[in-house]
Amino acid sequence: CPHHSVRHLPTPRERTMKLPISAGEPTPFAQSRFKYVVALLLLHTALIVYRILVPHDIFCAFFQALTVALGWLAIREKMQVTMLSIWGFLNFYSCLTDGFSLIEGTLNSVAKMDFMRLAIVIMYPVCDFLSARLAWQVFKDHERNGGMLAPIMSFLDGNAAPASKMANTSDRAEKGEQIPLVSGSGGKYGSRR
C-alpha cells in the first residue's frame, strides 16, 4: 500500500506518567506543613494497629500501611512533592472506599450501641480526607511556584490576567488587521480591494 502512515513510537519520556518533580528544596509552604503530615501519619499508624487487632481487616490494613510507608518516605525525603502527591492520591482513594464502608459500619455500630467503634469508623475517611487535602495543598503550592501547571493554578486561584491588560476586542475590530493573514490576490472569491 503506497499510502501507509509511519507510526510514531513514543519516547520513554512520553510514555511516563506526568508527575510533579521537585527541583530542589521544598517550598516554605511545604515545610510549614511538615508537622501536620507527621501528625496525620501518626494517626494513620494508630488506625492501622486498630484495624489489624480489632476487626482483623488485614487487607485494608496492608493497603493503608503501604500508603503510610509512602508518606513516611516523603517525610524522609524532605517533603518530596512527587511522593506526597502519590500519597495524597492513595489517601483520596482510601477516603472513597472507607466512606462506603462507613455507611455499613455506622449501621452496625448504631444497631449494637457501640459508639466507640462508630467513632473509630468515622476516623478512617476523615483522616484519609485530611491527608488527601493536605497533599493537594502542597501540590498546588508546588505548581504555583514553577510547576508545569502554573498558568492553570493561577487561573484557579483567580489570578488570571486582568481585563485592563487584555486587548479590547472592540478596538481591534475598528482598526482591522495590522498584517493581513491572506494576501487577497483574487482566487476563488475575487479580490479584496
Side-chain angles (χ1 to χ4, degrees), residues 9-168:
L9 294 175
T11 64
R13 184 177 177 103
E14 292 172 337
R15 284 192 302 254
T16 59
M17 193 172 170
K18 305 297 186 228
L19 293 172
I21 307 290
S22 61
E25 291 296 315
T27 63
F29 178 80
Q31 290 175 343
S32 72
R33 297 301 183 246
F34 178 83
K35 60 186 170 202
Y36 300 114
V37 173
V38 169
L40 285 169
L41 287 171
L42 289 172
L43 183 59
H44 273 291
T45 305
L47 289 172
I48 290 171
V49 171
Y50 177 81
R51 197 171 240 175
I52 290 172
L53 296 178
V54 177
H56 304 291
D57 191 2
I58 304 297
F59 178 75
C60 289
F62 178 73
F63 180 76
Q64 191 175 9
L66 289 177
T67 305
V68 169
L70 186 64
W72 285 116
L73 184 61
I75 291 292
R76 183 175 160 235
E77 296 294 324
K78 300 178 185 168
M79 298 290 284
Q80 214 272 342
V81 71
T82 305
M83 288 184 233
L84 276 176
S85 297
I86 296 170
W87 175 70
F89 180 76
L90 292 173
N91 277 302
F92 177 73
Y93 173 76
S94 293
C95 181
L96 294 178
T97 57
D98 287 339
F100 286 121
S101 64
L102 172 68
I103 297 168
E104 183 266 331
T106 302
L107 294 175
N108 278 342
S109 297
V110 170
K112 295 177 182 176
M113 302 295 266
D114 186 5
F115 295 110
M116 183 61 156
R117 184 172 184 268
L118 177 62
I120 303 270
V121 168
I122 289 173
M123 285 302 298
Y124 290 128
V126 168
C127 188
D128 292 333
F129 173 76
L130 292 174
S131 300
R133 179 151 165 61
L134 184 61
W136 172 247
Q137 289 174 341
V138 171
F139 170 77
K140 283 193 322 185
D141 179 63
H142 171 267
E143 291 301 316
R144 277 189 215 112
N145 295 309
M148 289 183 350
L149 302 175
I152 295 171
M153 291 300 162
S154 66
F155 176 76
L156 291 176
D157 290 339
N159 298 334
S164 62
K165 289 187 177 181
M166 297 176 71
N168 191 345

Side-chain angles (χ1 to χ4, degrees), residues 160-182:
S164 62
K165 289 187 177 181
M166 297 176 71
N168 191 345
T169 55
S170 63
D171 289 344
R172 273 191 281 150
E174 290 175 10
K175 292 179 184 176
E177 289 180 303
Q178 300 297 322
I179 301 172
L181 296 175
V182 180

